[in-house]
Amino acid sequence: MDLIYPYLALVVAASVILVAKFRTGPKGFAEAGPIAAVGAALAFGLCILQWGKAATPTTGFHGFLLIDRLGVLASALACLAGAVTAVLLPHHLQRAGKDRAEVYVLLLLVIAGMMAMVQTDHLVGAFVGLETLSVGLYALSAALRERRASVEAGLKYFLTGAFASGILVFGLALVYGAAGSFSLPVIEAKLVESSGLALAGILLLLVGFGFKLSAVPFHMWAPDVYEGAPTPITGFMSTAVKVVAATALLRVLDATPAFSGQIVEAVGWLAVLTVTVGNLSALAQHSVKRMLAYSSIGHAGYLFLAFAAFLATPDTAGFSAPLAAVMHYLIAYTITNLGAFAVLSALETADGRGLTFADLGGLKSRSPVLAFTLLIMMLSLASVPLTAGFLAKWNVFAVLVERARSSEGPFFWVLLVALILNSVIGLAYYLRVISAMYMRPAPEPLPATSPVSKVVMAVCILLVIAVIWLGAGPNVLGMGADGLFSIARAAAG
Amino acid sequence: MANDPKAYLVVSVLLFAIGMAGFLIRKNLLIVFLSVELMLNAGALAILVFARLYGDTDGHVFFFLILALAAAESAVGLSMVIALYRLRHKLDTDDLVELRG
Amino acid sequence: MGTALSLIPLALLAGAALNGFFSLWSARGRSVSRTLVHVVACAAPLFAFAMAIQVWRGLGEAGGRITTQWFEWIAVGDLRIGLDLTADALTCVMLLVITGIGSLIHIYSTAYMHEEEGFARYFSALNLFTFFMTILVLGKNLAVLFVGWEGVGLCSYLLIGYWWKDSEKATAGMKAFVVNRVGDFGFLIALFLLWRTAGTLDFAGIQAYATSEAGRATLLGPSGILGASVATLIGLLLFWGATGKSAQIPLYVWLPDAMAGPTPVSALIHAATMVTAGVYMVARLNFLYALSPVAQGTIMVVAGVTSLFAGVMALAQTDIKKVLAYSTISQIGYMMLGVGTGYVAAGMFHVVTHAFFKAALFLGSGSVIHACHHEQDMRHMGGLRKKMPWTCAAMTLSAAAMAGVPPLSGFFSKDEILWRAFSHGTMAGKIGWLCGFLGALLTAFYMFRLIFMTFGGSYRGHAHPHEVPKPMWMTQGALALGAAIVGFLGVPHILGGHDIFGHYLAPIIPDFAQPHAAHGEHAIAVEWSLMAWSVVMGLAGISAAWWAYVKKPELPGRVTAKIPKLHALVRDKFRVDEAYTATVVRPTESLARQVVLRGVDQGLIEGIVNGLGSVARLLGRVLSFGQTGLLRGYVGIMILGALLLLLSVLG
């Protein structure tokens, strides 16, 4: 029973909002956001409490639920992202005049779906979790249903997402056909030798998860959806979804070591394509939000680079350095990107027009706190030293170097070059944001922004502290630049 | 059926391909939507075939989960289609090009 | 002793925090007493200076090294990095320079920034800079050094962009940022390699490794890249990082632009301290460079060429601060040459003497600019000798020191460097020496050109110059006095001196050998003649400047009229920056220009970098053009991708 406390927190909060909503009627009510935020934060805390016990994995619900550190870490990140989103949403929706309570219910259930997806080693469980979160997110993307962009984003996400689900189900069918079970430990035991059927299935799974992670060439939906969806939801999608999809994909890849050798190069090339296309496209954008959408594709590419290293690393019992690198990257990236989107969402105007670089002009004097937050987040995304983003990318760099020096040498040198070149390109467009805020004059006339609540400001400041602390800070209560390494390693071990 | 699942698998692959083709060829949102459902069910059929082959109940259960999921997807999908229709009075996928670049 | 050591950075940090608080306070519309801000700002470095003297005096008792551990910062597996501070002879030299000269510049700033807004913010950043600088030199390992390295960079951008309303200055800050990232990249890779090779980033640990039998073998072994040994590879990558921070070829382009900041900032950061960080780092790791003649040779050649090249560019500048900026690049070239020879005391001695005379010169130029109402063009100055006697005296003394007039400080330090390079016994040493030797002539010439154009003749401007307030001329006087006498710390043996400075640094130099042995009996004769020649060169430069700018003021005009193209090329700093712009704006035109600039490979290198930039942007455009918004296009590409994936793996 104590295994599902975090789920209970989410579902209870969702139910409270729903019931209260019945009483207030269609108008919605102001407390929905705070309730959702508290629910998600509570779930986050409960996940943290599970961390200690999760050192020895336990299963529950007839093998459907698996509580291990990998899953707990990913769940905690999803809850954190959800809590921040719930804080940002009311401001954003009220400005559009459409603060609907259902949005928060959906958000909470999506988080629950995410947790279900990663806290299992059963493919059926993972699939049900995945679809719970997907269906919820389709609706959340279209939450501002009076806006064309929002509805278009929702529909595009829905149709491409359902298409990807179709591929995923087919992949599951093929893997099932080869192994005779959906349980990953059984699959690992059965599929000791490579077979065409299973290999095709795994590749289709790769496509399905690649879609969620917005890996090129399965990324085309992402810029459009990220641009059209309400900004806090975009922040949520670009972080939490990546966390859980990466975690689930890692579980699948971990359970099929017999195929690693065959797909490592394919994954490597996907990674090269993803970083390159993501970063190059980001360079050409005028809208800040769309730029961040492409940048998040680029970051998915860095994750894929680590996946390639993961596949190439010989399967030793226990700890895997590339896996730790992925988890470290996910933590740093989640916090950073959430901060960036928090600022973006606070700055947007009521008419829902996308923010351009020129709109950021003179922000340092208009809103020093927001400008500084965005500055730190951009530096972290660009992986400038002393930020969390730097240590995260450093890890990926290190595992690639490790591989490049081993037998698979030449191919991993290619990946290393891709990582380095793209980091340089990334620097260019992240700096554009900084120079716009700090060095360009304010636009005339000033965009009509509404005042930002103290809570949002507080969240921004907390995220800034987290990014710097996790990038350069000493350990306090086991967390810090160094503590993060240990946590990522514990999750990977 | 018992020992030769091949024919069923061929059907499943065909259904999957038809779904894909439908998605690519048709412009009407509803038809595109149906094509996606077709793909999903092709996968479900394959799972059923293997479940029978192995005599495994997990596969059967999964089939029902996929059905339930398809229903949920339709509910959300159709509501978005209605929202779009209210805004545009057209259901053409080629009109969804406001977001690009 | 450990407490005194900790108090140095902590005092500065406290100063920065207090002033930061005052800055926020005044941003809220509350008035803050200027005096209070000034007292806090100056008390912090002065206290740190006192503590640095404590540490310096206690060093002998403590056995040449004082260490204090703050806390463990990163501990992953075998990698343990503590935020530990340590001080040895080398650190003490740097500490005394940073806090001592830093204090004087803080005092000068109180008068210089008198009329400016946001002075609390300015002093907060200045204190913070000094804090990071002390961290940089106090770091017990490379990771802590790197924290300081990045921190001083950050404060430098903050201070360059002090008046960020001006977009030109903002661009200068951005340029400095980007160029330094390019340098940092090499530095980081070097750190990584070093960690993987030696298993530690601790200076003492690396030294122990480099001197152990096994470590030596690994470092001298092949690295697998272009036939370089591991030590060479690491050494060159570290030097790559140093070229960024210390403004050497090819990454020097940011320093002249960085002069857009307030003049005291130029004096402290872009002349006396931060830009010498690269020199300090090479000196600190001298045991590593001792293993790689290739890396040492590269440093000597690059440094020598930088000193000559920057000297040429300084000749034709008319902006008083730009002359000093290029002269700084040139002088750092000398320092690098000095540490590149392996006898790091030579380079470090020049760091110290340069800190005095260049800080004095910068502060003097600040006074001149202040007096002439923000006029920086020397063509609109002149005749200030009578109006600003103190400033004139201080600057002339410092310029003479820099030109190598005996017995002022620059004479001793520059001579030591040239002598060490000459007697290094390698081709690279000879090249470095020749460049430095010719550079000495240029140094004397452009420095006295500056003095004569500013203080000689009659006033050509429209303002009403007057002597600056007391805190300003007194600080620059103190620095000039220092510039005059500090050289006696390093009087070489042949002049009857004891080279106190060299002996002080002896414990950190592995082979503290005199190069006389290599030259046998002739060595003393060679050293004497070299010394005589550089004095001649210096005096020739000064006379030439006198001839051209006092005796026959029409001469420079006639000369430049004869060689208009060459003069224009030099005046425009070999058009390195323009080449940079043109490749973006007019790629075809730049092609012709690059043929002209073939001798200056900067045009080429930076052109390629920019060309790649525009190609990248173009590719981005093409890619996002493919993002048509059409749903079936998206799905089509997905299907295609999935099919390719299946075929490539299964087929």
Short mmCIF file of all heavy atoms in Angstrom, two decimals, chain C residues 548-591:
data_model
loop_
_atom_site.label_atom_id
_atom_site.label_comp_id
_atom_site.label_asym_id
_atom_site.label_seq_id
_atom_site.Cartn_x
_atom_site.Cartn_y
_atom_site.Cartn_z
N ALA C 548 60.55 62.52 -33.88
CA ALA C 548 59.37 62.54 -34.75
C ALA C 548 58.22 63.38 -34.18
O ALA C 548 57.42 63.92 -34.93
CB ALA C 548 58.87 61.11 -34.99
N TYR C 549 58.13 63.48 -32.87
CA TYR C 549 56.94 64.14 -32.33
C TYR C 549 57.24 65.45 -31.62
O TYR C 549 56.33 66.18 -31.27
CB TYR C 549 56.19 63.19 -31.40
CG TYR C 549 55.53 62.08 -32.18
CD1 TYR C 549 56.18 60.88 -32.39
CD2 TYR C 549 54.28 62.29 -32.78
CE1 TYR C 549 55.61 59.89 -33.16
CE2 TYR C 549 53.71 61.29 -33.54
CZ TYR C 549 54.37 60.09 -33.72
OH TYR C 549 53.80 59.13 -34.47
N VAL C 550 58.52 65.75 -31.38
CA VAL C 550 58.84 67.03 -30.74
C VAL C 550 59.69 67.89 -31.67
O VAL C 550 59.33 69.01 -32.02
CB VAL C 550 59.60 66.83 -29.41
CG1 VAL C 550 59.92 68.17 -28.77
CG2 VAL C 550 58.75 65.98 -28.47
N LYS C 551 60.76 67.31 -32.14
CA LYS C 551 61.71 68.07 -32.96
C LYS C 551 61.09 68.39 -34.33
O LYS C 551 61.08 69.53 -34.76
CB LYS C 551 62.98 67.23 -33.11
CG LYS C 551 64.07 67.89 -33.91
CD LYS C 551 64.87 68.85 -33.05
CE LYS C 551 66.03 69.41 -33.88
NZ LYS C 551 66.60 70.62 -33.27
N LYS C 552 60.61 67.38 -34.98
CA LYS C 552 60.04 67.58 -36.31
C LYS C 552 58.62 67.05 -36.35
O LYS C 552 58.37 66.00 -36.91
CB LYS C 552 60.88 66.85 -37.35
CG LYS C 552 62.30 67.30 -37.41
CD LYS C 552 62.79 67.37 -38.84
CE LYS C 552 64.16 68.04 -38.83
NZ LYS C 552 64.58 68.55 -40.10
N PRO C 553 57.68 67.76 -35.78
CA PRO C 553 56.32 67.22 -35.66
C PRO C 553 55.67 66.94 -37.00
O PRO C 553 54.69 66.20 -37.07
CB PRO C 553 55.57 68.33 -34.91
CG PRO C 553 56.59 69.29 -34.45
CD PRO C 553 57.82 69.12 -35.25
N GLU C 554 56.23 67.55 -38.08
CA GLU C 554 55.59 67.30 -39.39
C GLU C 554 56.06 65.97 -39.97
O GLU C 554 55.48 65.48 -40.94
CB GLU C 554 55.88 68.46 -40.35
CG GLU C 554 57.30 68.52 -40.92
CD GLU C 554 58.32 69.06 -39.91
OE1 GLU C 554 57.90 69.47 -38.80
OE2 GLU C 554 59.52 69.06 -40.21
N LEU C 555 57.10 65.39 -39.36
CA LEU C 555 57.69 64.18 -39.92
C LEU C 555 56.69 63.00 -40.01
O LEU C 555 56.56 62.40 -41.08
CB LEU C 555 58.92 63.78 -39.11
CG LEU C 555 59.82 62.73 -39.77
CD1 LEU C 555 60.46 63.28 -41.03
CD2 LEU C 555 60.88 62.24 -38.80
N PRO C 556 56.00 62.67 -38.91
CA PRO C 556 55.09 61.52 -38.99
C PRO C 556 54.09 61.67 -40.13
O PRO C 556 53.80 60.72 -40.85
CB PRO C 556 54.40 61.51 -37.63
CG PRO C 556 55.29 62.27 -36.73
CD PRO C 556 56.00 63.28 -37.57
N GLY C 557 53.60 62.87 -40.31
CA GLY C 557 52.63 63.12 -41.39
C GLY C 557 53.25 62.82 -42.74
O GLY C 557 52.64 62.18 -43.59
N ARG C 558 54.52 63.27 -42.90
CA ARG C 558 55.18 63.06 -44.19
C ARG C 558 55.41 61.58 -44.43
O ARG C 558 55.19 61.06 -45.52
CB ARG C 558 56.51 63.80 -44.20
CG ARG C 558 56.37 65.31 -44.34
CD ARG C 558 57.37 65.90 -45.34
NE ARG C 558 58.73 65.40 -45.17
CZ ARG C 558 59.66 65.99 -44.40
NH1 ARG C 558 59.33 67.08 -43.73
NH2 ARG C 558 60.86 65.50 -44.31
N VAL C 559 55.84 60.90 -43.36
CA VAL C 559 56.10 59.47 -43.51
C VAL C 559 54.82 58.73 -43.85
O VAL C 559 54.79 57.92 -44.77
CB VAL C 559 56.72 58.89 -42.22
CG1 VAL C 559 56.84 57.38 -42.33
CG2 VAL C 559 58.08 59.51 -41.98
N THR C 560 53.77 59.02 -43.11
CA THR C 560 52.52 58.29 -43.39
C THR C 560 52.01 58.63 -44.77
O THR C 560 51.39 57.80 -45.43
CB THR C 560 51.44 58.62 -42.36
OG1 THR C 560 51.36 60.03 -42.21
CG2 THR C 560 51.73 57.98 -41.02
N ALA C 561 52.30 59.85 -45.26
CA ALA C 561 51.85 60.21 -46.60
C ALA C 561 52.59 59.39 -47.65
O ALA C 561 52.04 59.06 -48.70
CB ALA C 561 52.07 61.71 -46.84
N LYS C 562 53.86 59.06 -47.30
CA LYS C 562 54.65 58.27 -48.27
C LYS C 562 54.14 56.84 -48.37
O LYS C 562 54.17 56.25 -49.43
CB LYS C 562 56.11 58.26 -47.81
CG LYS C 562 56.84 59.52 -48.18
CD LYS C 562 58.13 59.17 -48.95
CE LYS C 562 58.80 60.43 -49.50
NZ LYS C 562 59.79 60.98 -48.58
N ILE C 563 53.74 56.30 -47.23
CA ILE C 563 53.29 54.90 -47.24
C ILE C 563 51.85 54.83 -46.74
O ILE C 563 51.58 54.22 -45.71
CB ILE C 563 54.21 54.02 -46.37
CG1 ILE C 563 54.52 54.74 -45.04
CG2 ILE C 563 55.47 53.64 -47.08
CD1 ILE C 563 55.06 53.84 -43.98
N PRO C 564 50.96 55.44 -47.47
CA PRO C 564 49.58 55.55 -46.94
C PRO C 564 48.94 54.19 -46.69
O PRO C 564 48.25 54.00 -45.70
CB PRO C 564 48.85 56.31 -48.05
CG PRO C 564 49.67 56.13 -49.27
CD PRO C 564 51.08 55.97 -48.83
N LYS C 565 49.21 53.25 -47.62
CA LYS C 565 48.51 51.96 -47.48
C LYS C 565 48.99 51.21 -46.24
O LYS C 565 48.20 50.69 -45.46
CB LYS C 565 48.74 51.12 -48.72
CG LYS C 565 47.83 51.53 -49.86
CD LYS C 565 47.86 50.56 -51.00
CE LYS C 565 47.02 51.09 -52.14
NZ LYS C 565 47.51 50.67 -53.45
N LEU C 566 50.29 51.20 -46.07
CA LEU C 566 50.85 50.48 -44.93
C LEU C 566 50.37 51.12 -43.62
O LEU C 566 49.95 50.44 -42.69
CB LEU C 566 52.38 50.49 -45.02
CG LEU C 566 53.08 49.67 -43.93
CD1 LEU C 566 52.74 48.20 -44.09
CD2 LEU C 566 54.58 49.88 -43.95
N HIS C 567 50.42 52.45 -43.61
CA HIS C 567 50.00 53.13 -42.39
C HIS C 567 48.54 52.84 -42.08
O HIS C 567 48.18 52.57 -40.93
CB HIS C 567 50.22 54.64 -42.54
CG HIS C 567 49.75 55.40 -41.34
ND1 HIS C 567 48.57 56.11 -41.33
CD2 HIS C 567 50.27 55.52 -40.09
CE1 HIS C 567 48.40 56.65 -40.14
NE2 HIS C 567 49.42 56.31 -39.36
N ALA C 568 47.74 52.88 -43.13
CA ALA C 568 46.31 52.62 -42.92
C ALA C 568 46.12 51.20 -42.38
O ALA C 568 45.31 50.97 -41.48
CB ALA C 568 45.56 52.81 -44.22
N LEU C 569 46.91 50.29 -42.93
CA LEU C 569 46.78 48.89 -42.52
C LEU C 569 47.13 48.76 -41.03
O LEU C 569 46.42 48.11 -40.26
CB LEU C 569 47.73 48.04 -43.36
CG LEU C 569 47.48 46.54 -43.31
CD1 LEU C 569 46.17 46.21 -43.94
CD2 LEU C 569 48.61 45.80 -44.00
N VAL C 570 48.22 49.43 -40.64
CA VAL C 570 48.63 49.33 -39.24
C VAL C 570 47.64 50.06 -38.35
O VAL C 570 47.26 49.57 -37.28
CB VAL C 570 50.05 49.92 -39.07
CG1 VAL C 570 50.44 49.93 -37.61
CG2 VAL C 570 51.05 49.12 -39.87
N ARG C 571 47.21 51.25 -38.78
CA ARG C 571 46.29 52.03 -37.97
C ARG C 571 45.01 51.24 -37.73
O ARG C 571 44.42 51.26 -36.65
CB ARG C 571 45.96 53.35 -38.66
CG ARG C 571 45.13 54.29 -37.82
CD ARG C 571 44.57 55.41 -38.68
NE ARG C 571 43.78 54.86 -39.75
CZ ARG C 571 43.70 55.42 -40.97
NH1 ARG C 571 44.38 56.50 -41.27
NH2 ARG C 571 42.95 54.87 -41.91
N ASP C 572 44.59 50.53 -38.77
CA ASP C 572 43.35 49.75 -38.63
C ASP C 572 43.64 48.39 -38.04
O ASP C 572 42.89 47.44 -38.28
CB ASP C 572 42.67 49.61 -39.99
CG ASP C 572 42.27 50.96 -40.54
OD1 ASP C 572 42.24 51.92 -39.74
OD2 ASP C 572 42.01 51.05 -41.74
N LYS C 573 44.68 48.27 -37.28
CA LYS C 573 45.04 47.03 -36.59
C LYS C 573 45.05 45.85 -37.55
O LYS C 573 44.48 44.79 -37.29
CB LYS C 573 44.07 46.73 -35.44
CG LYS C 573 43.90 47.85 -34.48
CD LYS C 573 42.49 47.91 -33.99
CE LYS C 573 42.00 49.32 -33.85
NZ LYS C 573 40.56 49.42 -33.78
N PHE C 574 45.68 46.07 -38.71
CA PHE C 574 45.74 45.05 -39.74
C PHE C 574 44.35 44.61 -40.19
O PHE C 574 44.20 43.56 -40.78
CB PHE C 574 46.58 43.85 -39.30
CG PHE C 574 48.03 44.18 -39.16
CD1 PHE C 574 48.54 44.59 -37.94
CD2 PHE C 574 48.88 44.14 -40.25
CE1 PHE C 574 49.88 44.92 -37.82
CE2 PHE C 574 50.21 44.46 -40.11
CZ PHE C 574 50.71 44.86 -38.90
N ARG C 575 43.36 45.36 -39.86
CA ARG C 575 41.97 45.12 -40.29
C ARG C 575 41.47 43.73 -39.90
O ARG C 575 40.69 43.13 -40.61
CB ARG C 575 41.85 45.29 -41.81
CG ARG C 575 42.26 46.69 -42.22
CD ARG C 575 41.53 47.18 -43.43
NE ARG C 575 42.13 48.44 -43.86
CZ ARG C 575 42.93 48.58 -44.91
NH1 ARG C 575 43.16 47.54 -45.69
NH2 ARG C 575 43.44 49.72 -45.19
N VAL C 576 41.95 43.26 -38.80
CA VAL C 576 41.49 41.94 -38.35
C VAL C 576 39.99 41.98 -38.10
O VAL C 576 39.24 41.12 -38.53
CB VAL C 576 42.25 41.53 -37.07
CG1 VAL C 576 41.62 40.30 -36.47
CG2 VAL C 576 43.70 41.27 -37.40
N ASP C 577 39.55 43.03 -37.41
CA ASP C 577 38.12 43.12 -37.10
C ASP C 577 37.28 43.32 -38.35
O ASP C 577 36.20 42.78 -38.48
CB ASP C 577 37.87 44.26 -36.12
CG ASP C 577 38.33 43.89 -34.73
OD1 ASP C 577 37.93 42.81 -34.26
OD2 ASP C 577 39.09 44.67 -34.14
N GLU C 578 37.83 44.12 -39.29
CA GLU C 578 37.06 44.39 -40.50
C GLU C 578 36.93 43.13 -41.33
O GLU C 578 35.87 42.85 -41.90
CB GLU C 578 37.71 45.50 -41.33
CG GLU C 578 37.49 46.89 -40.79
CD GLU C 578 38.37 47.22 -39.60
OE1 GLU C 578 39.15 46.34 -39.19
OE2 GLU C 578 38.26 48.33 -39.07
N ALA C 579 38.02 42.37 -41.38
CA ALA C 579 37.98 41.13 -42.16
C ALA C 579 36.87 40.23 -41.62
O ALA C 579 36.13 39.61 -42.37
CB ALA C 579 39.32 40.42 -42.05
N TYR C 580 36.77 40.26 -40.33
CA TYR C 580 35.74 39.52 -39.61
C TYR C 580 34.33 39.92 -40.08
O TYR C 580 33.49 39.10 -40.41
CB TYR C 580 35.93 39.90 -38.15
CG TYR C 580 35.12 39.23 -37.11
CD1 TYR C 580 35.60 38.12 -36.45
CD2 TYR C 580 33.88 39.74 -36.75
CE1 TYR C 580 34.87 37.54 -35.45
CE2 TYR C 580 33.15 39.15 -35.76
CZ TYR C 580 33.65 38.06 -35.11
OH TYR C 580 32.92 37.49 -34.12
N THR C 581 34.10 41.23 -40.16
CA THR C 581 32.78 41.71 -40.58
C THR C 581 32.53 41.43 -42.05
O THR C 581 31.44 41.01 -42.43
CB THR C 581 32.68 43.22 -40.34
OG1 THR C 581 33.37 43.54 -39.16
CG2 THR C 581 31.25 43.66 -40.27
N ALA C 582 33.55 41.70 -42.84
CA ALA C 582 33.32 41.65 -44.29
C ALA C 582 32.96 40.25 -44.76
O ALA C 582 32.20 40.09 -45.70
CB ALA C 582 34.58 42.13 -45.01
N THR C 583 33.51 39.24 -44.12
CA THR C 583 33.21 37.88 -44.56
C THR C 583 31.75 37.56 -44.36
O THR C 583 31.20 36.71 -45.06
CB THR C 583 34.06 36.84 -43.81
OG1 THR C 583 34.30 37.33 -42.50
CG2 THR C 583 35.35 36.60 -44.54
N VAL C 584 31.13 38.22 -43.42
CA VAL C 584 29.71 37.97 -43.23
C VAL C 584 28.92 38.80 -44.24
O VAL C 584 28.04 38.31 -44.92
CB VAL C 584 29.26 38.37 -41.81
CG1 VAL C 584 27.88 37.82 -41.53
CG2 VAL C 584 30.26 37.88 -40.80
N VAL C 585 29.28 40.08 -44.33
CA VAL C 585 28.47 40.99 -45.13
C VAL C 585 28.71 40.81 -46.61
O VAL C 585 27.79 40.65 -47.40
CB VAL C 585 28.76 42.46 -44.73
CG1 VAL C 585 27.78 43.38 -45.41
CG2 VAL C 585 28.71 42.61 -43.23
N ARG C 586 29.95 40.80 -47.01
CA ARG C 586 30.23 40.72 -48.44
C ARG C 586 31.25 39.63 -48.70
O ARG C 586 32.45 39.90 -48.85
CB ARG C 586 30.74 42.05 -48.94
CG ARG C 586 29.76 43.18 -48.79
CD ARG C 586 30.36 44.46 -49.34
NE ARG C 586 31.55 44.86 -48.60
CZ ARG C 586 31.51 45.64 -47.52
NH1 ARG C 586 30.37 46.10 -47.08
NH2 ARG C 586 32.62 45.97 -46.91
N PRO C 587 30.77 38.40 -48.79
CA PRO C 587 31.72 37.28 -48.93
C PRO C 587 32.64 37.42 -50.14
O PRO C 587 33.82 37.09 -50.07
CB PRO C 587 30.81 36.07 -49.08
CG PRO C 587 29.47 36.52 -48.60
CD PRO C 587 29.39 37.98 -48.81
N THR C 588 32.12 37.96 -51.22
CA THR C 588 32.96 38.05 -52.42
C THR C 588 34.09 39.05 -52.22
O THR C 588 35.24 38.80 -52.57
CB THR C 588 32.11 38.48 -53.63
OG1 THR C 588 31.08 39.34 -53.16
CG2 THR C 588 31.52 37.31 -54.34
N GLU C 589 33.75 40.20 -51.66
CA GLU C 589 34.77 41.21 -51.45
C GLU C 589 35.86 40.71 -50.51
O GLU C 589 37.04 40.99 -50.72
CB GLU C 589 34.13 42.45 -50.84
CG GLU C 589 34.21 43.64 -51.75
CD GLU C 589 33.65 44.86 -51.08
OE1 GLU C 589 33.92 45.03 -49.88
OE2 GLU C 589 32.93 45.61 -51.73
N SER C 590 35.42 39.98 -49.52
CA SER C 590 36.38 39.55 -48.51
C SER C 590 37.42 38.62 -49.12
O SER C 590 38.54 38.54 -48.63
CB SER C 590 35.65 38.83 -47.39
OG SER C 590 35.30 37.55 -47.82
N LEU C 591 37.06 37.96 -50.19
CA LEU C 591 38.00 37.05 -50.82
C LEU C 591 39.24 37.81 -51.26
O LEU C 591 40.37 37.43 -50.95
CB LEU C 591 37.32 36.39 -52.03
CG LEU C 591 37.82 35.00 -52.35
CD1 LEU C 591 37.39 34.03 -51.27
CD2 LEU C 591 37.30 34.55 -53.70
#
